[in-house]
Structures are given as C-alpha cells and as structure tokens.
Amino acid sequence: MPGLFPIIEDINSLYRDFRRMPPVEVSEELRGWSYGQGVVAPPGGPLLGVSDITGGFCDRGRDVYLRYVKRVQPRDNYLLQRGRLIHETWTRTIVEVKRSIYNHGLDASIQELANTASTLKEKLKAEFNAKHSLVPEEERTWLVDRIINEGFSTYASSLERQLSRSRFLEIDGLVAATVPLLTEYPLNGEKIGLSRALRIDALIPPGLILELKTRHPRREFELALVGYALAFESEYEIPIDRGLLMYVEVDPPKRRLYVRPRIIALGDALRSEFVERRDKLLELILYDEDPGVSSNCPSECPYIHYCRGGE
Ligand code: SF4
C-alpha cells in the first residue's frame, strides 16, 4: 500500500491488486453519467460541496442548514486548523517537488530538492504563524518538518530511479513518473447537483481519486469519495469503481504521524447513501426545516458555539 507520498511503483501495485479483487457492483442508474434521469438527477436547489454532504460533523445535517439557511458563520478550532495545516503542507510539498524538477530540468538533483525543501519549511512556518495560530507553535513546526522531509526524501529517491531508467526522458514525463499525482484536481459537479468548483485532494492518473483525512475514520469519508467519483463520472463518462482514503493520525506527545491508506469500493450501497443524503439536505434548505440539535455533537463541530451556546 502507498505511503503518505505515493510513488509510481505503489500505483502499479495498487492497480495489479484491483485486477485480482472481485469486481465492484455498480448499477447504471447510479453512475454519475446517468444525471439526466433517475436517482442521480439533482432535485434542484443550491449546488452543495461534497464536504457539505459528507463533512462528518452533524448526524442531523444542522451544520448545512445553519450554513445555507441561517447564514451562521462557522468558527475555527484546533482540530480543523491542524487538519488544514497537514493538507496544505502535503499539497505544497508535492507542488514544490514538481516545480523544483521543472526549474532544474533533467539536471535536477537531490541537492536542489533539499534546498527547495528548506526554503519551503521556512515559508510555511512563517505563513502558518498567523493562519493556524490555534495549533501550538511547537506542533506546527514538527508537523511541517516531518511532512516536508518525508515528501522530499520519497521523491528524491523516485527522481533518481526515474533518471537512471532511460537517457531519453523529457521533462514533463520525468515529473509525471517521479510524482504521479495531480493535487487539488478540479471537477464540475453541477450536473449532479454539486458545486461547479469541487476539488479532490489528488487524482492519480488514469482514474484513482485520493482523499487525505486527518480525523478518525468514518463512513462519511467513504461517502466523500463516492461524491467525487459521481462528479468525475458525470464530467468524463469514465467509470470510477474504487478510491483511496489516506488517513493521517497525529500523536503530538510522541511526535508521530500514522498513515493508514484504505482502498474503498464505490459500489451501489455507498452511492445510494450519498444521493439520499444530498436529497435530504437539499430538502432542509429548500423547505427551511431546522432539523434540531444533535444529541451527539463532536467537539470539533464548527457550529458548536451556536448550537450549544459557547461550549
Ligand atoms: S453543534 Fe451539534 S447540532 Fe450543531 S451543527 Fe454541530 S453537530 Fe449539529
């Protein structure tokens, strides 16, 4: 299974595993390209983000009601900021590795990557001082160092391997083979009632969707993969039967990151559940129905200040 920063060998082995797994059962009516009729067709109303439907905060959907109907501003907290810090560091690491290889051409070397890594660390630490101030400085620092070190060392070895494969490489192919991910890949989900500006954490060509999750595993995150798969299918008419959830768990006292990749089969049951949730949330918004306060509010919910009076 791939690590935090997948390389081409991980992807090849994943696709080999997929061919040995039983096929995923997906009905035609639950493919994203069936948006013109049947269950996937959007019922109308605002275009929702995948994270509105699968945020995993509120089992009653009150967070979505408060956001779209009552226009209540969400409030940030430590866990949300830490999650964004990990996401941003991961994405910027991948982008900067690619930029460094493009800048130095086929002469790119491990030393140049190391220089780029140091510059990126300083830049992100300065940026995150203000942006993620709810995360203690010491934790911000080790997280940034840890993620950048892992990304640059993984792709430095990958670069060396790719360079030694052939004398006839061109720069674009070299970058794609060294870092086989496209981060923040944009999708237009309008045809299935989702936002026109969806972004998946990464697309691994030819058609594997990767989502990075920094909270405890939950079904909603599997549903998020389905949402993106439906949007992808509606836009490109290519089937997406499996996705990759990359769970990242942080242990601050031990300064450890635990990475647990999980392959998710995007079959009929998950697809139906996603569509039902979409429709239920749209109903709350269209008919101005307050679903009431959950009995199970997670402390990291960004609306807890509103629903629970400042808890
Ligand atoms: S605080 Fe509770 S009721 Fe309010 S949105 Fe969050 S989970 Fe739902």
Side-chain angles (χ1 to χ4, degrees):
M1 285 294 253
L4 186 55
F5 291 95
I7 54 173
I8 200 89
E9 289 82 358
D10 296 327
I11 310 306
N12 294 343
S13 119
L14 268 186
Y15 277 108
R16 259 197 308 278
D17 290 347
F18 290 172
R19 285 196 350 105
R20 293 192 192 107
M21 291 175 185
V24 182
E25 299 292 332
V26 183
S27 312
E28 187 62 14
E29 61 164 8
L30 286 166
R31 288 291 190 188
W33 56 71
S34 302
Y35 55 82
Q37 55 188 3
V39 286
V40 170
L47 299 174
L48 297 177
V50 168
S51 57
D52 290 327
I53 300 169
T54 64
F57 293 113
C58 189
D59 51 14
R60 287 178 168 255
R62 193 168 201 236
D63 51 347
V64 175
Y65 172 79
L66 295 178
R67 184 174 313 135
Y68 284 87
V69 182
K70 295 292 177 201
R71 306 275 170 196
V72 177
Q73 287 301 315
R75 205 174 273 177
D76 229 349
N77 58 52
Y78 159 75
L79 275 182
L80 296 180
Q81 282 200 0
R82 190 180 73 183
R84 288 205 300 278
L85 181 152
I86 293 171
H87 263 97
E88 285 173 49
T89 309
W90 182 80
T91 306
R92 299 269 293 271
T93 297
I94 291 171
V95 170
E96 288 307 316
V97 168
K98 289 185 181 182
R99 200 193 310 277
S100 180
I101 303 175
Y102 276 118
N103 285 345
H104 295 99
L106 296 175
D107 297 325
S109 70
I110 288 181
Q111 186 53 50
E112 268 116 25
L113 284 184
N115 296 342
T116 309
S118 307
T119 312
L120 181 62
K121 282 180 195 169
E122 294 319 308
K123 205 167 161 185
L124 291 191
K125 284 173 196 169
E127 241 177 68
F128 292 167
N129 267 339
K131 208 171 173 184
H132 301 311
S133 56
L134 298 177
V135 182
E137 185 178 358
E138 194 218 354
E139 193 174 338
R140 290 197 306 261
T141 302
W142 79 258
L143 275 171
V144 166
D145 286 343
R146 168 77 173 72
I147 296 169
I148 292 179
N149 286 346
E150 178 160 343
F152 275 78
S153 69
T154 302
Y155 291 129
S157 319
S158 176
L159 174 67
E160 283 298 299
R161 271 198 306 284
Q162 295 306 327
L163 283 170
S164 61
R165 271 176 52 176
S166 162
R167 293 172 200 281
F168 306 106
L169 290 165
E170 293 294 340
I171 189 69
D172 216 24
L174 174 65
V175 171
T178 304
V179 189
L181 296 87
L182 305 167
T183 58
E184 298 295 320
Y185 191 84
L187 287 176
N188 181 351
E190 187 176 15
K191 290 177 185 147
I192 55 165
L194 301 179
S195 163
R196 295 184 195 98
L198 297 177
R199 279 191 322 217
I200 53 181
D201 288 339
L203 177 70
I204 300 178
L208 183 65
I209 291 171
L210 180 158
E211 280 286 296
L212 191 73
K213 297 295 176 192
T214 55
R215 286 155 60 210
H216 292 305
R218 58 184 79 195
R219 189 164 175 85
E220 280 86 352
F221 299 149
E222 301 182 11
L223 291 171
L225 277 180
V226 159
Y228 292 121
L230 286 166
F232 195 95
E233 289 173 350
S234 75
E235 200 169 355
Y236 295 106
E237 311 227 351
I238 292 171
I240 303 290
D241 290 351
R242 292 188 172 85
L244 176 60
L245 279 180
M246 189 72 82
Y247 283 111
V248 180
E249 198 185 310
V250 184
D251 183 343
K254 289 190 181 157
R255 294 190 169 194
R256 280 192 195 282
L257 277 187
Y258 300 99
V259 179
R260 304 187 210 288
R262 281 193 53 207
I263 295 295
I264 309 294
L266 308 175
D268 279 355
L270 273 181
R271 286 168 185 258
S272 300
E273 196 176 328
F274 179 86
V275 170
E276 276 163 26
R277 281 186 186 223
R278 176 199 67 182
D279 295 353
K280 187 179 145 219
L281 291 170
L282 283 171
E283 234 176 77
L284 297 180
I285 297 169
L286 288 171
Y287 300 110
D288 191 351
E289 277 173 22
D290 186 343
V293 177
S294 165
S295 56
N296 200 18
C297 301
S299 58
E300 71 268 26
C301 178
Y303 293 97
I304 205 145
H305 64 287
Y306 183 87
C307 300
R308 298 259 173 199
E311 270 179 42

